[in-house]
Amino acid sequence: GGRMEVLEEKEEEEQREEELKALEISAKLQDLETKVSMEQICIPSDVPDFDWSSIDTSQLPSSYKTNSLKEKKLLHIADHFLQQYAHLCPDRKPLFLHPVNECGVEKFVSTTVRPTLLPYTELYHWDGCASFVSDYLTVEPLKSPITPPGSLYSPTTILKYQRGNCFDFSVLLCSMLIGAGYDAYCVHGYATREICTLDETLELCPLLRKPQEVPKEGMKKSSNKYRVKPPPDLHSKFELQQEAKKAAETEAAEKDKEREEEKELEKPRRDPLYGLRVHAWVLVLSGKREVPETFFINPFTGNSHSTMDEHFLGIESVWNHRNYWVNMQDCWNGCKDLIFDLGDAIRWEIMLSGSNKPLQLLPDAEEEKELSDRDIDDMQEKEEDISFDMPPSWVAPIQISPREFETRCSQGRKVILYRKAKLEKWAPYLNGNGLVKRLTTYADLDCTEVVEVREWFKNREDMLDMREVNKQTQLTTDYFSPGHLLNLKAHTYTSLEPETGHTMEFYNEARVDGLQKRVENANEMTEYFVGRDDFLHVRHMEFGKRGKKIHLAGTRTDINSQPIVQIKECFHRNLEKPADEDVAERIFLITEETIHLTYHLKDKYITASKKDFFKASERDRKGNEIVMTPEMCITYQAGSSEKEKKLLHLYKLLQELTEEEKRLKQQVRQSEAEVLNILKIRENEETAVKLSVSIYNTERNEKRRQQNEAMKNTMEDELPGQEEQDLDYLAPFLIRIGYREKMTKGQALRVRDDCLTDFKRRLIDKANVIQARFEKAVEELQKKDQWFQEKKNQLSAEEEDDFLARYSETMFHIHILALRLNREKQTAPQKYLALEEKLRKDPRLAEHLGHA
């Protein structure tokens, strides 16, 4: 008996200890909650705080302020579902089922989703929707990081005020994705601190991620047993190995040290609320819209994540506009082992079941026995509700104006901090130079030492698309879209001054000469060509030093341009010529007055034919060129012992090459002039940046619209006067009485009556003509119809189609005539009254008719 008492006392003590521990844990959690609620989400400091209680809800539709009968029934079903869930899963957190909306009315979460397809091509795809939502809305933290919010506002209100928490983001994004045809769901679950607080300072910027290289198979070289073996390496391999080992060890030690230092800085600090932080995101199931694999979208960033991503730690429930599912799978390993088959009644508990099977609420028959009578009644009631459909969404249609869609970010600007990088975004036309995005990469984690700056532009008239500035080499590269005035594709430079080193790439398809790239510095210039008829692909020019003449800064005149020392050209093979007659390379040594020709290799030859010409520097007294001598040309013909061609042939070739040299000199000067012109134009474009506006952009074309309206108004003002000057409608009637400045009342009345009678007759004649045409067309149609009924069985398919085409044409003609006739009948009285008023006000008749 004593033993029993001791055991009971021990059990009581243990129970008390457990209770105290539980109290301590709950107290610690409360402390953590208060501490963590003070944590700020990574939002820019310039975004002001917003008071949701001050928003105006008076103008919202009635659906926001009341619940329909069907919605009330749904809330009743949801409460029953929640009771059963709490009974079966007492250790789980309460479900996020029917929070209040902005008007304080309880609304079921599925009815807050409003599927919408917005009329912007970018929003037809999931990544466009996700990036829009992440850019457009400002992130607000949950009031408590470990409990879902007590309210869920409509997507229309969230869009209006451009801010919201993770649940608001997810509902809006899910509405847009379902509208675009995706099988998307809102998720209530748990995630890491970095995901919940939008902390991307340890993440690599998506723009810097390199695409994964696919290993190429079948690239191994087949070993050839007849291949010549290389000479043996007589260096001591052991010594080399030891040296390499030492160098590798020191390098590895330095790298490890650097890595450790970086890791220490990069290590995310320990999160006391790991696994408890509530987050909402979007689940997209495979199948619809050709989605190959189920994935998550984090609405804060707009990035997609694998369902195996370790940042997502668990799921409580998912919902769309049709139903609500509770996750019954264990999340001890995060979301990695979850199976997203929502039709599986064991893994996912559905709220509104579409099938007639009883709801599988309890796994074991024993537990089923333990159910109270009330629970059984609830189950029976739930089975009755099986056929219940989700009521339509209470949310008003989601609309985004073109201006709002274009402006995107709140205040038109957004800054995101990544690991060793900063990304800035702007709305189009916000910056005068067309800048819409800038990515700055840094060498250190503190983001102090800039490595590179990349800038993206839009709507520039000079077609500038992107600019890269390497802060270490001081090199700037501009990339252009097709359509630049000078066909520029890319331009690399340190300065826009001449002779400071420039690499220019061109859209060669748009150039007559096929120039693809030109590399130029102070002493040389190289041009690369594509698709030329003469097979030229490289031209290299070398320049000498200038003379002592005065040279003005910024100019490079022909008088004092750099002397050309050498021009070298390389050609591709022309298969229409024999190889030893097809020039592969020619070099004009201008200062030495020599020309070197190298021909393409013949098959099975390892040496190429060559010709070297030495131009005679002297001329005879009359100024004529000296006759060609054998010493002026040295030739080597590969694989031929025959004597070279006759001197006449060589003389002609030399003459041709001399002419070619003159042409090339001119070409070089043109290339130099083009470089100067490009630099001058680029400088002008950069000093006065112009942005192009689409003709469909009515808001930004305000000036043009005002000009059009002003022109229209002036035209309207001028036209009546012009008509009076050009055409005097009273002239024919005044001639009859012999026009006088003064006329009697009888004459004035007669002129008026004649004019009105004539006008009335013309109106009637016009109507009669239209009536006659209409009747004729109807008669023709009847004849065609009669002919078709008689010949219907004899006609081929082609003849029948031809007849029907002509028949429909006649029908259309009749329709137009009927409209015209109707219009004439309606407008004739108005036209008559308008003329009568005009005659009364006419200065020639007003004296006698004004009182009439």
Side-chain angles (χ1 to χ4, degrees):
R3 276 186 187 178
M4 288 294 287
E5 283 171 14
V6 170
L7 283 168
E8 280 172 11
E9 279 174 16
K10 273 188 180 178
E11 278 176 14
E12 279 175 16
E13 275 178 27
E14 281 172 10
Q15 205 172 336
R16 276 180 208 146
E17 279 175 17
E18 278 177 18
E19 282 172 7
L20 284 166
K21 276 180 188 174
L23 283 167
E24 277 174 25
I25 289 164
S26 63
K28 277 181 185 175
L29 273 174
Q30 279 180 346
D31 291 344
L32 281 171
E33 197 174 323
T34 51
K35 275 182 195 172
V36 178
S37 62
M38 301 302 286
E39 282 182 358
Q40 281 300 306
I41 275 184
C42 294
I43 50 173
S45 55
D46 57 348
V47 176
D49 288 332
F50 184 77
D51 182 18
W52 279 107
S53 61
S54 65
I55 66 168
D56 179 27
T57 56
S58 59
Q59 302 300 314
L60 293 173
S62 60
S63 63
Y64 284 59
K65 296 167 186 174
T66 56
N67 276 323
S68 66
L69 288 170
K70 204 169 183 185
E71 281 179 301
K72 284 175 184 171
K73 190 178 179 185
L74 176 65
L75 292 174
H76 183 65
I77 291 167
D79 284 331
H80 273 282
F81 184 79
L82 196 57
Q83 282 173 14
Q84 293 169 37
Y85 174 76
H87 177 83
L88 295 168
C89 311
D91 56 335
R92 281 182 69 168
K93 295 273 181 80
L95 291 173
F96 186 66
L97 277 171
H98 44 68
V100 295
N101 68 358
E102 53 267 50
C103 299
V105 179
E106 279 191 3
K107 295 284 184 181
F108 190 71
V109 287
S110 292
T111 59
T112 310
V113 177
R114 172 76 191 236
T116 305
L117 179 63
L118 290 158
Y120 306 103
T121 47
E122 196 181 320
L123 303 184
Y124 295 170
H125 200 263
W126 74 263
D127 52 359
C129 294
S131 66
F132 172 77
V133 170
S134 66
D135 285 346
Y136 193 76
L137 302 182
T138 302
V139 175
E140 282 188 345
L142 293 169
K143 284 177 183 173
S144 164
I146 60 171
T147 50
S151 59
L152 184 67
Y153 292 176
S154 66
T156 51
T157 300
I158 295 302
L159 280 169
K160 185 180 177 182
Y161 296 103
Q162 277 189 261
R163 54 200 312 117
N165 58 43
C166 51
F167 285 84
D168 300 320
F169 271 68
S170 300
V171 169
L172 174 61
L173 177 55
C174 194
S175 301
M176 290 165 71
L177 292 175
I178 294 169
Y182 288 93
D183 193 9
Y185 302 81
C186 297
V187 180
H188 162 213
Y190 304 94
T192 58
R193 175 173 50 201
E194 288 71 39
I195 292 277
C196 295
T197 59
L198 186 55
D199 182 1
E200 295 180 273
T201 50
L202 300 180
E203 293 289 319
L204 186 67
C205 177
L207 294 170
L208 295 171
R209 284 179 197 150
K210 289 175 184 174
Q212 290 182 341
E213 286 184 14
V214 181
K216 290 178 183 177
E217 291 177 9
M219 291 296 284
K220 289 178 184 176
K221 288 181 181 177
S222 55
S223 58
N224 188 351
K225 63 179 178 178
Y226 300 112
R227 196 176 57 201
V228 179
K229 288 178 182 176
D233 185 10
L234 301 173
H235 293 98
S236 168
K237 285 181 183 176
F238 179 73
E239 282 177 13
L240 287 169
Q241 276 176 355
Q242 291 301 102
E243 284 172 20
K245 204 175 183 181
K246 276 182 186 176
E249 277 174 7
T250 52
E251 200 178 326
E254 282 173 16
K255 274 188 179 176
D256 285 345
K257 197 178 177 184
E258 280 176 23
R259 238 181 250 136
E260 275 172 25
E261 284 172 6
E262 276 197 6
K263 271 183 184 175
E264 280 302 312
L265 290 165
E266 284 180 32
K267 238 181 215 176
R269 59 191 193 280
R270 207 178 68 78
D271 183 13
L273 291 182
Y274 183 83
L276 297 171
R277 288 179 186 274
V278 169
H279 190 55
W281 64 93
V282 173
L283 161 73
V284 181
L285 293 185
S286 59
K288 279 191 179 179
R289 284 295 303 267
E290 297 177 7
V291 174
E293 202 174 335
T294 299
F295 65 96
F296 295 148
I297 303 172
N298 181 12
F300 281 171
T301 60
N303 297 336
S304 64
H305 297 263
S306 161
T307 55
M308 312 284 279
D309 195 314
E310 57 193 17
H311 287 96
F312 297 92
L313 306 174
I315 290 176
E316 286 283 359
S317 60
V318 302
W319 67 90
N320 65 1
H321 62 304
R322 295 189 192 282
N323 221 320
Y324 189 96
W325 293 263
V326 181
N327 176 30
M328 305 307 286
Q329 300 168 77
D330 198 342
C331 293
W332 67 272
N333 193 20
C335 299
K336 290 177 186 174
D337 302 329
L338 295 187
I339 292 165
F340 293 96
D341 175 12
L342 300 180
D344 188 334
I346 295 166
R347 292 190 172 96
W348 295 93
E349 192 61 65
I350 193 166
M351 202 185 91
L352 301 177
S353 177
S355 65
N356 293 320
K357 291 175 188 174
L359 282 163
Q360 196 155 355
L361 291 168
L362 295 172
D364 299 322
E366 288 173 14
E367 287 182 31
E368 210 167 313
K369 286 173 191 173
E370 291 169 16
L371 277 177
S372 64
D373 292 342
R374 185 183 166 188
D375 291 327
I376 291 162
D377 291 343
D378 289 345
M379 279 182 72
Q380 285 170 354
E381 192 172 340
K382 187 75 182 74
E383 281 179 38
E384 285 168 22
D385 292 324
I386 278 167
S387 60
F388 183 82
D389 287 331
M390 187 68 69
S393 178
W394 54 274
V395 178
I398 297 169
Q399 290 172 335
I400 297 165
S401 69
R403 187 65 184 266
E404 288 167 339
F405 179 71
E406 190 189 71
T407 308
R408 288 292 180 96
C409 320
S410 183
Q411 279 91 43
R413 181 172 182 258
K414 187 169 187 177
V415 181
I416 309 164
L417 299 174
Y418 292 101
R419 180 179 174 272
K420 296 187 182 179
K422 180 173 77 172
L423 181 64
E424 297 162 276
K425 294 179 182 180
W426 290 271
Y429 299 103
L430 191 70
N431 294 317
N433 62 350
L435 180 67
V436 291
K437 194 159 61 175
R438 182 194 287 141
L439 175 67
T440 312
T441 49
Y442 300 91
D444 57 330
L445 288 162
D446 297 329
C447 296
T448 52
E449 190 189 333
V450 179
V451 175
E452 188 185 55
V453 179
R454 285 190 217 169
E455 295 178 326
W456 285 264
F457 301 86
K458 262 187 184 176
N459 309 307
R460 296 245 320 205
E461 279 194 4
D462 60 7
M463 308 309 286
L464 180 65
D465 195 40
M466 181 191 165
R467 176 174 288 147
E468 277 181 8
V469 183
N470 190 322
K471 293 290 181 182
Q472 291 171 335
T473 59
Q474 297 303 316
L475 272 179
T476 303
T477 308
D478 292 344
Y479 297 93
F480 299 85
S481 299
H484 189 272
L485 175 72
L486 306 161
N487 301 316
L488 269 177
K489 187 177 189 177
H491 180 201
T492 304
Y493 57 93
T494 49
S495 145
L496 287 173
E497 287 295 311
E499 296 180 23
T500 53
H502 297 271
T503 301
M504 296 175 187
E505 287 182 48
F506 300 89
Y507 287 99
N508 56 281
E509 305 90 348
R511 286 185 66 106
V512 180
D513 58 357
L515 180 65
Q516 188 183 39
K517 188 163 88 168
R518 182 184 284 130
V519 183
E520 183 242 19
N521 58 33
N523 302 318
E524 55 186 12
M525 185 191 287
T526 310
E527 295 177 329
Y528 301 87
F529 300 90
V530 172
R532 279 177 68 115
D533 295 337
D534 59 0
F535 298 93
L536 174 70
H537 67 96
V538 177
R539 184 187 290 140
H540 179 75
M541 294 79 83
E542 285 181 20
F543 303 101
K545 288 182 179 176
R546 284 195 178 84
K548 291 181 181 179
K549 289 180 183 179
I550 298 161
H551 172 61
L552 297 169
T555 63
R556 194 198 275 180
T557 56
D558 284 338
I559 302 160
N560 199 27
S561 54
Q562 289 175 301
I564 303 164
V565 174
Q566 176 185 314
I567 302 170
K568 174 183 168 183
E569 290 189 315
C570 302
F571 298 85
H572 286 305
R573 179 83 175 86
N574 180 4
L575 295 169
E576 289 177 10
K577 292 181 183 178
D580 56 356
E581 288 178 25
D582 185 17
V583 176
E585 182 182 279
R586 63 184 184 191
I587 302 168
F588 297 90
L589 295 164
I590 288 150
T591 48
E592 296 172 26
E593 292 204 325
T594 59
I595 301 167
H596 299 293
L597 298 182
T598 306
Y599 293 87
H600 281 280
L601 282 170
K602 287 199 286 184
D603 288 343
K604 300 175 185 176
Y605 280 80
I606 57 168
T607 56
S609 302
K610 290 186 178 183
K611 284 190 181 74
D612 295 343
F613 291 95
F614 303 92
K615 289 192 281 182
S617 55
E618 294 176 18
R619 293 167 182 270
D620 59 17
R621 284 176 187 174
K622 289 179 184 176
N624 298 323
E625 288 185 8
I626 289 171
V627 181
M628 183 84 180
T629 58
E631 291 79 26
M632 287 169 69
C633 179
I634 298 170
T635 64
Y636 164 68
Q637 196 71 18
S640 172
S641 57
E642 292 173 24
K643 204 174 180 184
E644 192 39 64
K645 288 179 181 177
K646 289 179 183 177
L647 283 175
L648 179 62
H649 293 295
L650 294 172
Y651 177 67
K652 281 184 177 177
L653 181 58
L654 179 59
Q655 275 189 321
E656 283 172 22
L657 289 169
T658 308
E659 286 301 313
E660 189 65 26
E661 189 180 303
K662 285 178 190 173
R663 192 189 63 77
L664 278 173
K665 280 181 185 176
Q666 283 181 324
Q667 186 60 55
V668 171
R669 295 299 175 212
Q670 281 174 11
S671 293
E672 286 184 293
E674 189 183 18
V675 168
L676 286 174
N677 184 38
I678 289 171
L679 294 177
K680 189 180 174 184
I681 286 170
R682 283 295 300 124
E683 205 168 344
N684 293 340
E685 285 173 344
E686 285 302 326
T687 47
V689 175
K690 289 180 183 174
L691 299 181
S692 58
V693 179
S694 165
I695 57 167
Y696 302 109
N697 192 335
T698 51
E699 284 189 28
R700 288 208 168 77
N701 272 341
E702 187 67 33
K703 285 180 185 175
R704 214 167 288 171
R705 194 165 63 82
Q706 285 173 357
Q707 285 172 1
N708 289 346
E709 280 180 9
M711 243 169 70
K712 199 176 174 184
N713 293 337
T714 51
M715 288 274 284
E716 282 172 4
D717 293 342
E718 286 170 12
L719 273 172
Q722 280 178 349
E723 279 177 7
E724 280 171 20
Q725 286 169 13
D726 300 340
L727 185 72
D728 185 1
Y729 52 90
L730 282 180
F733 309 104
L734 291 170
I735 287 167
R736 290 179 195 171
I737 60 160
Y739 179 62
R740 306 182 192 95
E741 284 184 22
K742 290 271 181 181
M743 63 173 83
T744 63
K745 187 179 177 182
Q747 286 173 330
L749 286 167
R750 187 179 157 197
V751 166
R752 184 195 69 170
D753 292 343
D754 285 355
C755 185
L756 286 171
T757 308
D758 185 67
F759 184 66
K760 189 177 180 180
R761 184 177 51 76
R762 278 193 287 120
L763 286 172
I764 292 164
D765 287 351
K766 191 177 177 184
N768 287 338
V769 168
I770 297 168
Q771 180 76 39
R773 286 178 184 168
F774 176 74
E775 287 169 2
K776 190 180 177 184
V778 169
E779 197 180 323
E780 276 181 27
L781 190 74
Q782 285 171 347
K783 283 180 184 175
K784 282 179 183 175
D785 199 27
Q786 192 180 347
W787 179 85
F788 181 68
Q789 294 300 332
E790 289 170 5
K791 305 273 184 179
K792 192 166 38 174
N793 299 328
Q794 301 167 21
L795 294 174
S796 65
E798 282 179 15
E799 285 172 331
E800 196 171 323
D801 288 346
D802 183 48
F803 169 79
L804 288 170
R806 283 186 283 115
Y807 189 84
S808 59
E809 204 175 297
T810 312
M811 283 284 288
F812 179 71
H813 184 53
I814 288 168
H815 178 65
I816 296 295
L817 287 169
L819 286 173
R820 281 184 66 192
L821 189 63
N822 193 34
R823 190 179 65 193
E824 283 300 321
K825 283 176 181 176
Q826 283 177 348
T827 58
Q830 293 166 6
K831 287 178 183 176
Y832 185 83
L833 290 169
L835 182 62
E836 197 171 20
E837 184 66 26
K838 213 172 189 181
L839 289 167
R840 188 181 284 126
K841 289 177 182 176
D842 192 292
R844 293 164 290 187
L845 308 174
E847 189 184 338
H848 303 290
L849 304 180
H851 64 278

